[in-house]
Amino acid sequence: AMSPSHFARVFKETVGQTPMQYLMAYRIEQAIRAMADPGPGLGEIALSCGFADQAHFSRSFKAATGSTPRQYRATLA
């Protein structure tokens, strides 16, 4: 029974991140785990982790990790 703004404020005070930042970090973490399996393509991983498309995934991944998904996956091989 909270307003969205109150929820966001309490969430940030408790977790230290906004709900969107938390969700994006979770999605990136799931993508990193999925990239350990060489089978699925990056587009498939992007969609399975909740990104709208591969371009959004690539931008978000690079902002969070400093490398593109392709570069990151190459370091795993």
Coordinates of all heavy atoms in Angstrom, one line a residue:
A1 N 0.8 -1.2 0.0 CA 0.0 0.0 0.0 C 0.9 1.2 0.0 O 0.7 2.1 0.8 CB -0.9 0.0 1.2
M2 N 1.9 1.3 -0.9 CA 2.7 2.5 -1.0 C 2.6 3.1 -2.4 O 2.3 2.4 -3.4 CB 4.2 2.0 -0.9 CG 4.7 1.6 0.4 SD 6.5 1.4 0.3 CE 6.7 0.0 1.3
S3 N 2.8 4.4 -2.5 CA 2.8 5.0 -3.8 C 4.1 4.6 -4.5 O 5.1 4.2 -3.8 CB 2.8 6.5 -3.6 OG 4.0 7.0 -3.1
P4 N 4.2 4.7 -5.8 CA 5.4 4.3 -6.5 C 6.6 5.2 -6.1 O 7.7 4.6 -5.9 CB 5.1 4.6 -8.0 CG 3.6 4.4 -8.0 CD 3.1 4.9 -6.7
S5 N 6.4 6.4 -5.8 CA 7.6 7.3 -5.4 C 8.0 6.9 -4.0 O 9.2 6.9 -3.7 CB 7.2 8.8 -5.5 OG 6.1 9.1 -4.6
H6 N 7.1 6.6 -3.1 CA 7.5 6.2 -1.8 C 8.3 4.9 -1.8 O 9.3 4.7 -1.1 CB 6.3 6.1 -0.8 CG 6.6 5.7 0.6 ND1 7.4 6.6 1.4 CD2 6.4 4.6 1.3 CE1 7.5 6.0 2.6 NE2 6.9 4.8 2.6
F7 N 7.7 3.9 -2.6 CA 8.4 2.7 -2.8 C 9.8 2.9 -3.3 O 10.8 2.3 -2.7 CB 7.7 1.7 -3.7 CG 8.4 0.5 -4.1 CD1 8.6 -0.5 -3.2 CD2 9.1 0.4 -5.3 CE1 9.3 -1.7 -3.6 CE2 9.8 -0.7 -5.7 CZ 9.9 -1.7 -4.8
A8 N 10.0 3.7 -4.3 CA 11.3 3.9 -4.9 C 12.3 4.5 -3.9 O 13.4 4.1 -3.8 CB 11.2 4.8 -6.1
R9 N 11.8 5.4 -3.0 CA 12.6 6.1 -2.0 C 13.0 5.1 -1.0 O 14.2 5.0 -0.6 CB 11.8 7.2 -1.4 CG 12.7 8.1 -0.5 CD 12.0 9.4 0.0 NE 10.7 9.7 -0.5 CZ 9.5 9.4 0.1 NH1 9.5 8.8 1.3 NH2 8.4 9.8 -0.5
V10 N 12.1 4.3 -0.5 CA 12.4 3.3 0.6 C 13.3 2.2 0.0 O 14.3 1.8 0.7 CB 11.1 2.6 1.1 CG1 11.4 1.4 2.0 CG2 10.3 3.7 1.9
F11 N 13.1 1.8 -1.3 CA 14.0 0.8 -1.9 C 15.4 1.3 -2.0 O 16.3 0.6 -1.6 CB 13.4 0.5 -3.3 CG 14.1 -0.7 -4.0 CD1 13.6 -1.9 -3.9 CD2 15.3 -0.5 -4.7 CE1 14.2 -3.0 -4.5 CE2 15.9 -1.5 -5.3 CZ 15.4 -2.8 -5.2
K12 N 15.6 2.5 -2.4 CA 16.9 3.1 -2.5 C 17.6 3.2 -1.2 O 18.8 3.0 -1.0 CB 16.9 4.5 -3.2 CG 18.3 5.0 -3.5 CD 18.3 6.2 -4.4 CE 19.7 6.6 -4.6 NZ 19.9 7.7 -5.5
E13 N 16.8 3.6 -0.2 CA 17.4 3.7 1.2 C 17.8 2.4 1.7 O 18.9 2.2 2.4 CB 16.4 4.3 2.2 CG 16.1 5.8 1.9 CD 15.0 6.3 2.8 OE1 14.4 5.5 3.6 OE2 14.7 7.5 2.7
T14 N 17.1 1.3 1.4 CA 17.4 0.0 1.8 C 18.5 -0.7 1.0 O 19.4 -1.3 1.6 CB 16.1 -0.9 1.8 OG1 15.1 -0.2 2.5 CG2 16.3 -2.3 2.4
V15 N 18.4 -0.7 -0.3 CA 19.3 -1.4 -1.1 C 20.5 -0.6 -1.6 O 21.6 -1.1 -1.9 CB 18.5 -2.0 -2.4 CG1 19.4 -2.7 -3.3 CG2 17.4 -2.8 -1.9
G16 N 20.3 0.7 -1.7 CA 21.4 1.6 -2.1 C 21.4 1.9 -3.6 O 22.3 2.6 -4.1
Q17 N 20.4 1.4 -4.3 CA 20.2 1.6 -5.7 C 18.7 1.9 -6.0 O 17.9 1.4 -5.2 CB 20.6 0.4 -6.6 CG 22.0 0.0 -6.5 CD 22.3 -1.3 -7.2 OE1 21.5 -2.3 -7.1 NE2 23.3 -1.3 -8.0
T18 N 18.4 2.5 -7.1 CA 17.0 2.7 -7.5 C 16.5 1.3 -8.0 O 17.4 0.5 -8.3 CB 16.9 3.7 -8.6 OG1 17.5 3.2 -9.8 CG2 17.4 5.1 -8.2
P19 N 15.2 1.1 -8.0 CA 14.7 -0.2 -8.5 C 15.2 -0.5 -10.0 O 15.6 -1.6 -10.3 CB 13.2 0.0 -8.5 CG 13.0 1.0 -7.4 CD 14.1 1.9 -7.5
M20 N 15.3 0.6 -10.8 CA 15.8 0.3 -12.2 C 17.3 0.0 -12.2 O 17.7 -0.9 -13.0 CB 15.6 1.6 -13.1 CG 14.4 1.6 -14.0 SD 13.9 0.0 -14.6 CE 14.9 -0.2 -16.0
Q21 N 18.1 0.6 -11.4 CA 19.5 0.3 -11.4 C 19.7 -1.2 -10.9 O 20.5 -1.9 -11.4 CB 20.2 1.2 -10.4 CG 20.4 2.6 -11.0 CD 20.9 3.6 -9.9 OE1 20.7 3.4 -8.7 NE2 21.6 4.6 -10.3
Y22 N 18.9 -1.6 -9.9 CA 19.0 -2.9 -9.4 C 18.6 -3.9 -10.4 O 19.2 -4.9 -10.6 CB 18.0 -3.0 -8.1 CG 18.0 -4.4 -7.5 CD1 19.0 -4.7 -6.6 CD2 17.1 -5.3 -7.8 CE1 19.0 -6.0 -6.0 CE2 17.1 -6.6 -7.3 CZ 18.1 -6.9 -6.3 OH 18.1 -8.2 -5.8
L23 N 17.5 -3.6 -11.1 CA 17.0 -4.5 -12.2 C 18.0 -4.7 -13.3 O 18.3 -5.8 -13.8 CB 15.7 -4.1 -12.7 CG 15.1 -4.9 -13.8 CD1 14.8 -6.3 -13.4 CD2 13.8 -4.3 -14.3
M24 N 18.6 -3.5 -13.7 CA 19.6 -3.6 -14.8 C 20.9 -4.4 -14.3 O 21.4 -5.2 -15.1 CB 20.0 -2.2 -15.2 CG 20.9 -2.1 -16.4 SD 20.2 -2.8 -17.9 CE 18.8 -1.7 -18.2
A25 N 21.3 -4.2 -13.1 CA 22.4 -5.0 -12.6 C 22.1 -6.5 -12.6 O 23.0 -7.3 -12.9 CB 22.8 -4.5 -11.2
Y26 N 20.9 -6.8 -12.2 CA 20.5 -8.2 -12.2 C 20.5 -8.8 -13.6 O 20.9 -9.9 -13.8 CB 19.1 -8.3 -11.5 CG 18.6 -9.8 -11.5 CD1 19.1 -10.7 -10.6 CD2 17.7 -10.2 -12.4 CE1 18.7 -12.0 -10.6 CE2 17.2 -11.5 -12.4 CZ 17.7 -12.4 -11.5 OH 17.3 -13.7 -11.5
R27 N 19.9 -8.0 -14.6 CA 19.9 -8.5 -16.0 C 21.3 -8.7 -16.5 O 21.6 -9.7 -17.2 CB 19.1 -7.5 -16.8 CG 17.7 -7.5 -16.6 CD 17.0 -6.5 -17.4 NE 15.5 -6.6 -17.3 CZ 14.7 -5.7 -17.8 NH1 15.1 -4.6 -18.4 NH2 13.4 -5.9 -17.6
I28 N 22.2 -7.8 -16.2 CA 23.6 -7.9 -16.7 C 24.2 -9.1 -16.1 O 25.0 -9.9 -16.7 CB 24.4 -6.6 -16.4 CG1 23.8 -5.4 -17.1 CG2 25.9 -6.8 -16.7 CD1 24.0 -5.4 -18.6
E29 N 24.0 -9.3 -14.8 CA 24.6 -10.5 -14.1 C 24.1 -11.8 -14.7 O 24.8 -12.7 -15.0 CB 24.1 -10.5 -12.6 CG 24.6 -11.6 -11.8 CD 24.1 -11.5 -10.4 OE1 24.1 -10.4 -9.8 OE2 23.7 -12.6 -9.8
Q30 N 22.8 -11.9 -15.1 CA 22.2 -13.0 -15.7 C 22.8 -13.2 -17.1 O 23.1 -14.4 -17.5 CB 20.7 -12.9 -15.8 CG 20.0 -13.0 -14.5 CD 20.4 -14.2 -13.7 OE1 20.2 -15.3 -14.1 NE2 20.8 -14.0 -12.4
A31 N 23.0 -12.1 -17.8 CA 23.6 -12.2 -19.2 C 25.1 -12.8 -19.1 O 25.5 -13.6 -19.9 CB 23.6 -10.9 -19.8
I32 N 25.8 -12.3 -18.1 CA 27.2 -12.8 -17.9 C 27.2 -14.3 -17.7 O 28.0 -15.0 -18.2 CB 27.9 -12.0 -16.8 CG1 28.2 -10.6 -17.2 CG2 29.2 -12.7 -16.3 CD1 28.7 -9.7 -16.2
R33 N 26.3 -14.8 -16.8 CA 26.2 -16.2 -16.6 C 25.8 -17.0 -17.9 O 26.4 -18.0 -18.2 CB 25.2 -16.5 -15.5 CG 25.6 -16.1 -14.2 CD 24.6 -16.5 -13.1 NE 25.0 -16.0 -11.8 CZ 24.2 -15.9 -10.8 NH1 23.0 -16.3 -10.9 NH2 24.6 -15.4 -9.7
A34 N 24.9 -16.4 -18.7 CA 24.4 -17.0 -19.9 C 25.6 -17.1 -20.9 O 25.6 -18.0 -21.7 CB 23.2 -16.3 -20.4
M35 N 26.4 -16.1 -20.9 CA 27.5 -16.1 -21.9 C 28.6 -17.1 -21.7 O 29.4 -17.4 -22.6 CB 28.2 -14.7 -21.9 CG 27.4 -13.7 -22.7 SD 28.3 -12.2 -23.0 CE 27.8 -11.2 -21.6
A36 N 28.6 -17.7 -20.5 CA 29.5 -18.8 -20.3 C 29.2 -20.0 -21.2 O 30.1 -20.8 -21.5 CB 29.5 -19.2 -18.8
D37 N 28.0 -20.2 -21.6 CA 27.6 -21.2 -22.5 C 27.8 -20.7 -23.9 O 27.1 -19.7 -24.3 CB 26.1 -21.6 -22.3 CG 25.6 -22.7 -23.2 OD1 26.5 -23.2 -24.0 OD2 24.4 -23.0 -23.2
P38 N 28.6 -21.2 -24.8 CA 28.9 -20.7 -26.1 C 27.7 -20.9 -27.1 O 27.7 -20.4 -28.2 CB 30.1 -21.4 -26.5 CG 30.2 -22.7 -25.8 CD 29.5 -22.4 -24.4
G39 N 26.7 -21.7 -26.7 CA 25.7 -22.1 -27.6 C 24.8 -20.9 -28.1 O 24.7 -20.6 -29.2
P40 N 24.1 -20.3 -27.1 CA 23.2 -19.2 -27.6 C 23.9 -18.0 -28.1 O 24.9 -17.6 -27.6 CB 22.4 -18.9 -26.3 CG 23.2 -19.3 -25.2 CD 24.1 -20.5 -25.7
G41 N 23.3 -17.3 -29.1 CA 23.8 -16.1 -29.6 C 23.5 -14.9 -28.7 O 22.7 -15.0 -27.7
L42 N 24.2 -13.8 -28.9 CA 24.0 -12.7 -28.0 C 22.6 -12.1 -28.1 O 22.1 -11.6 -27.1 CB 25.0 -11.6 -28.3 CG 26.5 -12.0 -28.0 CD1 27.5 -10.9 -28.5 CD2 26.7 -12.2 -26.6
G43 N 22.0 -12.1 -29.3 CA 20.6 -11.7 -29.4 C 19.6 -12.5 -28.6 O 18.7 -12.0 -27.9
E44 N 19.9 -13.8 -28.6 CA 19.0 -14.7 -27.8 C 19.2 -14.4 -26.3 O 18.3 -14.4 -25.5 CB 19.4 -16.1 -28.1 CG 18.5 -17.2 -27.5 CD 18.9 -18.6 -28.0 OE1 19.5 -18.8 -29.0 OE2 18.6 -19.5 -27.2
I45 N 20.5 -14.2 -25.9 CA 20.7 -13.9 -24.5 C 20.1 -12.6 -24.1 O 19.5 -12.5 -23.0 CB 22.3 -13.9 -24.2 CG1 22.9 -15.3 -24.4 CG2 22.6 -13.3 -22.9 CD1 24.4 -15.4 -24.3
A46 N 20.2 -11.6 -25.0 CA 19.6 -10.3 -24.7 C 18.1 -10.4 -24.4 O 17.6 -9.9 -23.4 CB 19.8 -9.4 -25.8
L47 N 17.4 -11.2 -25.3 CA 16.0 -11.3 -25.1 C 15.6 -12.1 -23.9 O 14.7 -11.8 -23.1 CB 15.3 -11.9 -26.3 CG 15.4 -11.1 -27.6 CD1 14.8 -11.9 -28.8 CD2 14.7 -9.8 -27.4
S48 N 16.4 -13.2 -23.6 CA 16.1 -14.0 -22.4 C 16.4 -13.3 -21.1 O 15.8 -13.7 -20.1 CB 16.9 -15.3 -22.5 OG 18.3 -15.1 -22.3
C49 N 17.2 -12.3 -21.1 CA 17.5 -11.5 -19.9 C 16.6 -10.3 -19.8 O 16.8 -9.5 -18.8 CB 19.0 -11.1 -19.9 SG 20.1 -12.5 -19.7
G50 N 15.7 -10.1 -20.7 CA 14.7 -9.0 -20.5 C 15.0 -7.7 -21.3 O 14.4 -6.7 -21.0
F51 N 16.0 -7.7 -22.1 CA 16.3 -6.5 -22.9 C 15.4 -6.5 -24.1 O 15.0 -7.5 -24.7 CB 17.8 -6.5 -23.3 CG 18.7 -6.3 -22.2 CD1 19.3 -7.4 -21.5 CD2 19.0 -5.0 -21.7 CE1 20.1 -7.2 -20.4 CE2 19.9 -4.9 -20.6 CZ 20.4 -5.9 -20.0
A52 N 15.1 -5.3 -24.6 CA 14.2 -5.1 -25.7 C 14.8 -5.6 -27.0 O 14.1 -6.2 -27.8 CB 13.8 -3.6 -25.9
D53 N 16.1 -5.4 -27.2 CA 16.8 -5.9 -28.4 C 18.3 -5.9 -28.1 O 18.7 -5.5 -27.0 CB 16.5 -5.0 -29.6 CG 16.8 -3.5 -29.3 OD1 17.8 -3.2 -28.7 OD2 16.0 -2.6 -29.7
Q54 N 19.0 -6.4 -29.0 CA 20.5 -6.6 -28.8 C 21.2 -5.3 -28.7 O 22.2 -5.2 -27.9 CB 21.1 -7.4 -30.0 CG 22.5 -7.8 -29.7 CD 23.1 -8.8 -30.7 OE1 22.3 -9.4 -31.5 NE2 24.4 -9.0 -30.7
A55 N 20.7 -4.2 -29.4 CA 21.4 -2.9 -29.3 C 21.3 -2.4 -27.9 O 22.3 -1.9 -27.3 CB 20.8 -2.0 -30.3
H56 N 20.1 -2.5 -27.3 CA 19.9 -2.0 -25.9 C 20.8 -2.8 -25.0 O 21.4 -2.3 -24.0 CB 18.4 -2.1 -25.6 CG 18.1 -1.7 -24.2 ND1 17.3 -2.4 -23.3 CD2 18.5 -0.5 -23.5 CE1 17.3 -1.7 -22.2 NE2 17.9 -0.6 -22.3
F57 N 20.8 -4.1 -25.2 CA 21.7 -5.0 -24.4 C 23.1 -4.6 -24.5 O 23.8 -4.4 -23.5 CB 21.5 -6.4 -24.8 CG 22.5 -7.4 -24.2 CD1 22.6 -7.6 -22.9 CD2 23.3 -8.2 -25.1 CE1 23.5 -8.5 -22.3 CE2 24.2 -9.1 -24.5 CZ 24.3 -9.2 -23.2
S58 N 23.6 -4.3 -25.7 CA 25.0 -4.0 -25.9 C 25.4 -2.7 -25.2 O 26.4 -2.5 -24.6 CB 25.4 -3.9 -27.4 OG 25.3 -5.2 -28.0
R59 N 24.5 -1.7 -25.4 CA 24.7 -0.4 -24.7 C 24.8 -0.5 -23.2 O 25.7 0.0 -22.5 CB 23.7 0.7 -25.1 CG 23.8 1.3 -26.5 CD 22.9 2.4 -26.7 NE 21.5 2.2 -26.4 CZ 20.6 1.6 -27.2 NH1 20.9 1.3 -28.4 NH2 19.4 1.4 -26.8
S60 N 23.8 -1.2 -22.7 CA 23.7 -1.4 -21.2 C 24.9 -2.2 -20.7 O 25.4 -1.8 -19.6 CB 22.4 -2.0 -20.8 OG 21.3 -1.3 -21.3
F61 N 25.2 -3.2 -21.4 CA 26.3 -4.1 -21.0 C 27.6 -3.3 -20.9 O 28.4 -3.4 -20.0 CB 26.5 -5.3 -21.9 CG 27.4 -6.4 -21.4 CD1 26.9 -7.4 -20.6 CD2 28.7 -6.3 -21.7 CE1 27.7 -8.4 -20.1 CE2 29.6 -7.3 -21.2 CZ 29.1 -8.3 -20.4
K62 N 27.9 -2.5 -22.0 CA 29.1 -1.7 -22.1 C 29.2 -0.7 -21.0 O 30.2 -0.4 -20.4 CB 29.3 -1.1 -23.4 CG 30.6 -0.4 -23.6 CD 30.9 0.0 -25.0 CE 32.3 0.6 -25.1 NZ 32.8 0.9 -26.4
A63 N 28.0 0.0 -20.7 CA 28.0 1.0 -19.6 C 28.3 0.3 -18.3 O 28.9 1.0 -17.4 CB 26.6 1.6 -19.6
A64 N 27.8 -0.9 -18.1 CA 28.0 -1.5 -16.8 C 29.4 -2.2 -16.6 O 30.0 -2.2 -15.5 CB 26.9 -2.6 -16.6
T65 N 29.9 -2.7 -17.7 CA 31.2 -3.5 -17.6 C 32.4 -2.8 -18.2 O 33.5 -3.2 -17.9 CB 31.0 -4.9 -18.2 OG1 30.8 -4.8 -19.6 CG2 29.9 -5.7 -17.5
G66 N 32.2 -1.9 -19.1 CA 33.3 -1.3 -19.8 C 33.7 -2.0 -21.1 O 34.6 -1.5 -21.8
S67 N 33.0 -3.1 -21.4 CA 33.3 -3.8 -22.7 C 32.0 -4.3 -23.3 O 31.0 -4.4 -22.6 CB 34.2 -5.0 -22.4 OG 33.6 -6.0 -21.6
T68 N 32.1 -4.5 -24.6 CA 30.9 -5.0 -25.3 C 30.6 -6.4 -24.9 O 31.6 -7.1 -24.5 CB 31.0 -4.8 -26.8 OG1 32.0 -5.7 -27.3 CG2 31.3 -3.4 -27.2
P69 N 29.4 -6.9 -25.1 CA 29.2 -8.4 -24.9 C 30.1 -9.3 -25.7 O 30.6 -10.3 -25.2 CB 27.7 -8.5 -25.3 CG 27.1 -7.2 -25.1 CD 28.2 -6.2 -25.5
R70 N 30.3 -8.9 -27.0 CA 31.2 -9.7 -27.8 C 32.6 -9.7 -27.3 O 33.3 -10.8 -27.2 CB 31.2 -9.2 -29.2 CG 32.1 -10.0 -30.1 CD 32.0 -9.5 -31.6 NE 30.7 -10.1 -32.0 CZ 30.2 -9.8 -33.2 NH1 30.8 -9.1 -34.1 NH2 29.0 -10.4 -33.6
Q71 N 33.2 -8.6 -26.8 CA 34.5 -8.5 -26.3 C 34.6 -9.3 -25.0 O 35.5 -10.1 -24.7 CB 34.9 -7.1 -26.0 CG 35.1 -6.2 -27.2 CD 35.2 -4.7 -26.8 OE1 34.8 -4.3 -25.8 NE2 35.8 -4.0 -27.7
Y72 N 33.5 -9.2 -24.2 CA 33.5 -10.0 -22.9 C 33.5 -11.5 -23.2 O 34.2 -12.2 -22.5 CB 32.3 -9.5 -22.1 CG 32.3 -10.2 -20.7 CD1 33.0 -9.6 -19.6 CD2 31.6 -11.4 -20.5 CE1 33.0 -10.3 -18.4 CE2 31.6 -12.0 -19.3 CZ 32.3 -11.4 -18.2 OH 32.3 -12.0 -17.0
R73 N 32.7 -11.9 -24.1 CA 32.5 -13.3 -24.4 C 33.9 -13.8 -24.9 O 34.2 -15.0 -24.7 CB 31.4 -13.5 -25.4 CG 31.0 -15.0 -25.5 CD 29.8 -15.2 -26.3 NE 28.9 -16.1 -25.8 CZ 27.8 -16.5 -26.3 NH1 27.4 -16.0 -27.5 NH2 27.0 -17.4 -25.8
A74 N 34.6 -13.0 -25.7 CA 35.9 -13.5 -26.3 C 36.9 -13.7 -25.2 O 37.7 -14.6 -25.3 CB 36.4 -12.4 -27.2
T75 N 36.8 -13.0 -24.0 CA 37.7 -13.2 -22.9 C 37.4 -14.6 -22.2 O 38.3 -15.1 -21.5 CB 37.7 -12.1 -21.9 OG1 36.4 -12.1 -21.3 CG2 38.0 -10.8 -22.6
L76 N 36.2 -15.1 -22.4 CA 35.8 -16.3 -21.7 C 36.4 -17.6 -22.5 O 36.5 -18.6 -21.9 CB 34.3 -16.4 -21.6 CG 33.6 -15.4 -20.8 CD1 32.1 -15.6 -20.9 CD2 34.1 -15.4 -19.4
A77 N 36.6 -17.4 -23.8 CA 37.0 -18.5 -24.6 C 38.5 -18.9 -24.4 O 39.3 -18.3 -23.8 CB 36.8 -18.2 -26.0

